Amino acid sequence: MRTAERTERIPLVRDSALVWLASGIVGLSFGAIAVAGGLPVWVPVVMSLVVYAGSAQFSAVGVLLAGGGPLAAAATGLLLNTRTVAFSLAVADLLGPGRFTRLLGAHLVTDETVAFTLAQSDPARRRAAFWISGLGLFAVWNIGVLAGALAGGALGDTATYGLDAAFPAVLVALVLPALREGPAVRRSALLGAVLALAVTPAVPAGVPVLVALAGLAVYGRAGRSRTA
């Protein structure tokens, strides 16, 4: 039985490795940007361990480097991280029993892990995918941040490497299988994408993801029409 479980997990590890790679690259960028901007090494490292939210961390550090105070940085991070409420509800039944397990699982909820989890075909596989993706992503992200922070400004301008495109590309790859479920899902995703693109030039990073949730209204109406 253990051999069968191990065999089932190997494809999940292989598939989630792409997400881990993207996470490590972006974490490297985050650590380097924070230290090159004048923050001590421990700030991005501790933030990554405790907060663990990529877009919120980038935004909070941006506020600090622009001269804003800790309260303004924390408020910005909290605003951008409100989207994880919806993500947490989507995977709440996969975390398992026990207060510690659920607290740990809640800390591991990210866009990428939830997308990877929900792309799986059955509850058992989803549960395994959540923990494999979540724990691996957490480890690689923090290793990347530490490496970037230690490198400091030696990497130069990380924006020139196009690192900001790594996570969006991975998310698109994870979401595509879900679009096969039906026209209601596709219409919802299309509306969310259009809204997110429309507001991107005018709002801070991370907010377009929140706006994209409005696409769920189309999916909700389609579900009520089928049950009426």
Side-chain angles (χ1 to χ4, degrees), residues 70-91:
L71 291 180
T76 301
L78 285 172
L79 173 63
L80 297 183
N81 235 29
T82 53
R83 69 186 188 280
T84 59
V85 174
F87 298 156
S88 298
L89 292 174
V91 297

Side-chain angles (χ1 to χ4, degrees), residues 55-155:
S55 61
Q57 290 180 225
F58 272 105
S59 298
V61 165
V63 170
L64 291 174
L65 295 182
L71 291 180
T76 301
L78 285 172
L79 173 63
L80 297 183
N81 235 29
T82 53
R83 69 186 188 280
T84 59
V85 174
F87 298 156
S88 298
L89 292 174
V91 297
D93 59 333
L94 303 175
L95 303 186
R99 181 175 298 178
F100 175 77
T101 301
R102 298 185 71 81
L103 285 174
L104 176 60
H107 190 56
L108 298 177
V109 170
T110 63
D111 314 49
E112 300 77 27
T113 291
V114 172
F116 181 69
T117 298
L118 298 182
Q120 308 308 315
S121 56
D122 61 81
R125 189 174 174 84
R126 287 183 177 183
R127 185 174 295 108
F130 176 84
W131 289 106
I132 289 173
S133 174
L135 291 171
L137 197 64
F138 181 79
V140 173
W141 169 261
N142 282 280
I143 291 172
V145 170
L146 176 60
L150 293 175
L155 295 177

Side-chain angles (χ1 to χ4, degrees), residues 21-23 25-26 162-171:
L21 176 61
S23 174
I25 293 172
V26 179
L163 300 180
D164 56 337
F167 264 173
V170 170
L171 281 174

